[in-house]
Each structure stands twice: as C-alpha cells, then as structure tokens.
C-alpha cells in the first residue's frame, strides 16, 4: 500500500540487516511513526502492547522475533525461551502459534551457526506468503463485490466491516480489505461502513485511516449501527477478518462480530469472513468452547484516547470511578451464521468438509 506516495508494508527488515521496522499502531490515526525492533524483548513487547496487532501481522512479527532472538544466542535454550516468550504475548490469534511452529521447524535441526540465517530466511518467506494469501483473498473476494455491483447496475456496493482486518493487520492488502482495495483500484464503486470497534476503536482509528489513505470512500459508524443499516437495505455484504477459525468453520474475531452476524442473518445480508489459511486451527472443532478468549485491561473500557481541538492527544476517563468492567477481546460466530470463508484458495463453505478439502496438507497435520 502507499503511504504519502511511498510503497510501504507493515513490517520490514531494516537496512542495517540487524533489526526489524514496524509502524507503531498505538499512535494512529493522529501520528504516523515507525519503531525499530532489535531484540526478542522488543518484538514481544510490540505484540503485547499492540504496536503491531491483527492475526497475520502478529504471526509475522513473532517470526522475526525468533530471528532477533537467535541473532543474539542460537542455543536450544534460547530458541525455547523465544518460542515461549512470544507465544505468551497474546492468546487468541492462532497465526502466532502457526508462525512460531514454522520457525521452530525451520531452525531446530540446524547447527547453531546456521540458525540465525535460516530464521531470517523463513521469516521472510512467511512475510511473502502472507502477502500472497492476502492477494488471493482479494481476488476471490473481488468476484463477490463485482457480482453485487453488476446486480446493482454499477450503483455503489456497501460493505460493512468490523475492527481492522486491513493492510495494518497483515503485511500488505489486509484480509477483509483486500477485495475492497482491488475492487476500488479496478473502478468498482465501493463504500465501506467501518464499525468503530470499542473498546480500542481499531475500526475508527485504523480501518478508517488506511481506507482514507487509499482513497476508498468510507463512513465510520458506532458499533450498534450495523443492524439498523441492514434493516434498511444499506449494507450489501459484510466482510470481517478472523483471529482463529476452527476445523468446523466457527469464526473467532474481534468482540462484536457475532452480533453483526446475527443481524446479517436476520436481514439476509451475506456475511463473509476473510482469512489466510494460517488462521485456521485444525486442532479444534468447537470454536465456542475451545478458543481461548483474551481478556484485556479494564483501562481500555474506562478510558478513551483522542485528539483535542488544539491538536493534543489525550486520554480521558468515560466510566464512573469504581464501576466494574468486563473486557473480552473476541467472540465466536458459529459456522451456521457464516455465508462463506474467503481464503487464498477460494470462497469456501464454513464447514469441516470444505476446509479439509481446500487445505488437505494442513488438516492432516494434527
Ligand atoms: O486485538 P486486535 O486488534 O489484534 O484484533 C485482532 C483483529 O485485528 C481483528 O479481530 C481482525 O478483525 C482480525 S485479524 C485480521
């Protein structure tokens, strides 16, 4: 994607070939700044504090984190320490474990002297693979948008999305946004309703920011607005991302996704989930009972951050002193509410049979 006319990815190896650059997403949309990660601790902190976030990007950052750890110390003990430290950063997005397992497999059986170079190579491949997956998702999802545009005689297609499953959540293009960017670039009139996504407002601060940078028409809506829009025929399709999809097609995504799926089902609006295969967890079946749901700090609910009229970014309290707070980061949408899974290998039914048929090499692993 282009930022101020310059091609950018969300993560890159710095020119010193000793560290990794990222965009500090905690500062967006009010400030754009990059950060250099030079150590395992830097990478783990970046994931934990959500300087990087979004399932695919978390996985890629962890992969580079293993490289940074092995640059300092390529022993078995340090490899194990890096795996454990990175795995502990966030519990829900399965791309994290997927990437760490890939890294382990790439370096474990090599002599210590070769491990850092092998880790850098594999992390780079994972990075490129993520971009290829996003583009695959984009091409398959584009067809869905084009079909609706044709049905509407070219009138604009309204897509509702939740959270940020965009360029910022992956390495490039995004997952839910990839079909949208491709459609927009090809001249299909497409408009996005971006849920604000309380409590951290990834929709309002990140999705709106990146759509705006790319010139995609969009409207930020409070989280509770989607149902109303659907009742009035103002949403043609929903496309969301995913943090983990179970073998039977249940979808874990940012809290609030399930309510959008219910509203979509009630209003016969197609509800699609866009994901790379690294987001599928073939080791579990029932997403509702088996996916660990991250519970995040109460301060994300009690406080909001924003820009004042004089341009200062401040954090203010919006909940009375002493009120109890619950902050579940994710929810699970059962497969029966999902119209289709947009993957790099096509648009699939949200079912065990369809996932296993499309990804036979992954479904047999565990
Ligand atoms: O908690 P976050 O910001 O890391 O949330 C994860 C997400 O970005 C979303 O749930 C997204 O919709 C799926 S990841 C492409």
């Amino acid at each position: 994607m282009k930022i101020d006319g310059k091609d950018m990815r969300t993560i890159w190896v710095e020119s010193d070939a000793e560290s990794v650059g990222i965009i500090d997403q905690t500062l967006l949309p009010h400030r754009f700044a990059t950060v250099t990660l030079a150590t395992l601790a830097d990478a783990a902190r970046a994931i934990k504090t959500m300087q990087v976030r979004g399932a695919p990007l978390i996985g890629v950052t962890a992969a580079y984190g293993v490289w940074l750890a092995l640059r300092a110390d390529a022993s078995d003990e340090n490899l194990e320490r890096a795996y454990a430290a990175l795995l502990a950063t966030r519990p829900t997005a399965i791309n994290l474990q997927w990437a760490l397992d890939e890294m382990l497999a790439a370096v474990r059986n090599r002599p210590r002297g070769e491990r850092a170079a092998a880790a850098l190579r594999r992390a780079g491949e994972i990075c490129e693979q993520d971009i290829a997956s996003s583009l695959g998702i984009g091409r398959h999802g584009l067809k869905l948008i084009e079909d609706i545009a044709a049905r509407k005689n070219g009138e604009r297609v309204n897509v509702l999305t939740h959270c940020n499953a965009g360029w910022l959540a992956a390495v490039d293009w995004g997952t839910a946004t990839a079909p949208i960017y491709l459609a927009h670039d090809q001249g299909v009139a497409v408009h996005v309703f971006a849920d604000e996504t309380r409590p951290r407002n990834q929709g309002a601060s990140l999705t709106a920011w990146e759509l705006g940078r790319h010139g995609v028409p969009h409207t930020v809506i409070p989280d509770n607005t989607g149902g109303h829009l659907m009742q009035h025929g103002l949403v043609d399709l929903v496309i969301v991302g995913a943090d983990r999809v179970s073998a039977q097609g249940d979808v874990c995504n940012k809290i609030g996704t399930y309510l959008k799926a219910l509203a979509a089902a009630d209003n016969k609006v197609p509800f699609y989930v866009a994901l790379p295969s690294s987001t599928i967890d073939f080791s579990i079946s029932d997403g509702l009972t088996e996916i660990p749901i991250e519970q995040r700090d109460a301060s994300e609910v009690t406080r909001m951050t924003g820009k004042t009229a004089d341009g200062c970014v401040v954090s203010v309290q919006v909940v009375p002193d002493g009120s109890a707070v619950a902050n579940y980061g994710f929810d699970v949408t059962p497969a029966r509410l999902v119209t289709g899974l947009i993957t790099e290998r096509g648009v699939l039914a949200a079912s065990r049979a369809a996932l296993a048929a499309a990804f036979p090499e992954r479904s047999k692993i565990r």
Side-chain angles (χ1 to χ4, degrees), residues 16-28:
D16 62 8
E18 295 184 349
S19 56
V20 173
I22 57 162
I23 298 165
D24 184 350
Q25 299 190 24
T26 62
L27 302 178
L28 291 172

Side-chain angles (χ1 to χ4, degrees), residues 50 53-56 90 163-165 169 175 202 241-243 253-254 330:
M50 292 174 69
R53 21 84 33 227
R90 299 209 47 199
C163 193
N164 174 256
T175 55
Q202 290 96 328
D243 294 272
N253 192 49
K254 182 54 60 187
F330 303 90

Side-chain angles (χ1 to χ4, degrees), residues 11 47 54-67 70 79 82-84 86-87 89 93-108 118-119 121-127 129-130 171 243 276-280 362 365-366:
I11 190 163
I47 299 172
L57 182 58
I58 289 171
V60 175
T61 307
Y64 279 117
V66 172
W67 168 54
L70 294 178
L79 179 58
Y83 185 101
L86 290 161
L87 189 63
T89 51
I94 194 63
N95 307 58
L96 175 60
Q97 189 184 336
W98 173 84
L100 289 170
D101 287 343
E102 291 290 316
M103 293 300 289
L104 203 56
V107 301
R108 192 175 29 203
R121 236 180 357 258
R122 187 69 191 113
E125 287 165 4
I126 289 172
C127 198
Q129 188 178 335
D130 187 67
V171 179
D243 294 272
S277 54
S278 51
T279 299
I280 306 167
R362 297 270 336 276
I365 287 174
R366 298 167 205 256

Side-chain angles (χ1 to χ4, degrees), residues 10 22 27 31 50 55 60 75 84 89 100 103 127 140 177 211 229 246 257 266 284 294 298-299 304 321 334 346:
T10 55
I22 57 162
L27 302 178
R31 193 151 84 81
M50 292 174 69
V60 175
S75 66
T89 51
L100 289 170
M103 293 300 289
C127 198
H140 294 297
T177 55
L211 290 172
L229 295 177
S246 76
T257 302
D266 193 44
I284 61 164
E294 179 175 15
S299 64
M304 286 183 84
D321 289 334

Side-chain angles (χ1 to χ4, degrees), residues 27 47 51 63 82 89 104 147 166 180 185 188-190 205 207 223-224 241 255-256 277 280 298 312:
L27 302 178
I47 299 172
Q51 285 180 311
T89 51
L104 203 56
D147 287 351
I180 294 166
D185 289 354
V188 178
V190 61
S205 56
T207 305
D223 284 330
N224 301 324
I255 192 82
S277 54
I280 306 167
C312 295

Side-chain angles (χ1 to χ4, degrees), residues 27-215:
L27 302 178
L28 291 172
H30 305 301
R31 193 151 84 81
F32 180 86
T34 60
V35 173
T36 298
L37 313 177
T39 63
L40 165 65
D42 288 347
R45 193 181 325 107
I47 299 172
K48 204 164 181 55
T49 62
M50 292 174 69
Q51 285 180 311
V52 290
R53 21 84 33 227
L57 182 58
I58 289 171
V60 175
T61 307
Y64 279 117
V66 172
W67 168 54
L68 294 173
L70 294 178
R71 283 194 73 245
D73 171 358
S75 66
D76 286 354
E77 299 69 37
N78 201 42
L79 179 58
E80 273 169 36
R81 199 170 66 89
Y83 185 101
L86 290 161
L87 189 63
T89 51
R90 299 209 47 199
T92 303
I94 194 63
N95 307 58
L96 175 60
Q97 189 184 336
W98 173 84
L100 289 170
D101 287 343
E102 291 290 316
M103 293 300 289
L104 203 56
V107 301
R108 192 175 29 203
N109 296 325
R110 289 180 181 274
R112 288 181 187 196
E114 292 178 11
R115 282 182 174 176
L120 176 59
R121 236 180 357 258
R122 187 69 191 113
E125 287 165 4
I126 289 172
C127 198
E128 297 304 323
Q129 188 178 335
D130 187 67
I131 296 172
S133 293
S134 285
L135 272 172
I137 290 166
R139 292 193 183 108
H140 294 297
L142 171 62
K143 178 87 180 46
L144 300 172
I145 295 176
E146 284 175 335
D147 287 351
I148 293 171
R151 268 207 315 276
K152 293 181 81 175
N153 293 321
E155 207 187 298
R156 81 177 191 180
V157 177
N158 291 301
V159 184
L160 184 141
T161 192
H162 189 68
C163 193
N164 174 256
W167 168 72
L168 289 165
V171 179
D172 207 346
W173 297 102
T175 55
T177 55
I180 294 166
Y181 286 129
L182 291 188
H184 175 80
D185 289 354
Q186 293 187 16
V188 178
V190 61
H191 163 266
V192 179
F193 286 113
D195 284 350
E196 64 177 347
T197 321
R198 276 289 283 156
R200 278 189 79 108
N201 291 326
Q202 290 96 328
S205 56
L206 303 178
T207 305
W209 180 81
E210 61 165 88
L211 290 172
R213 288 292 162 131
H214 199 85

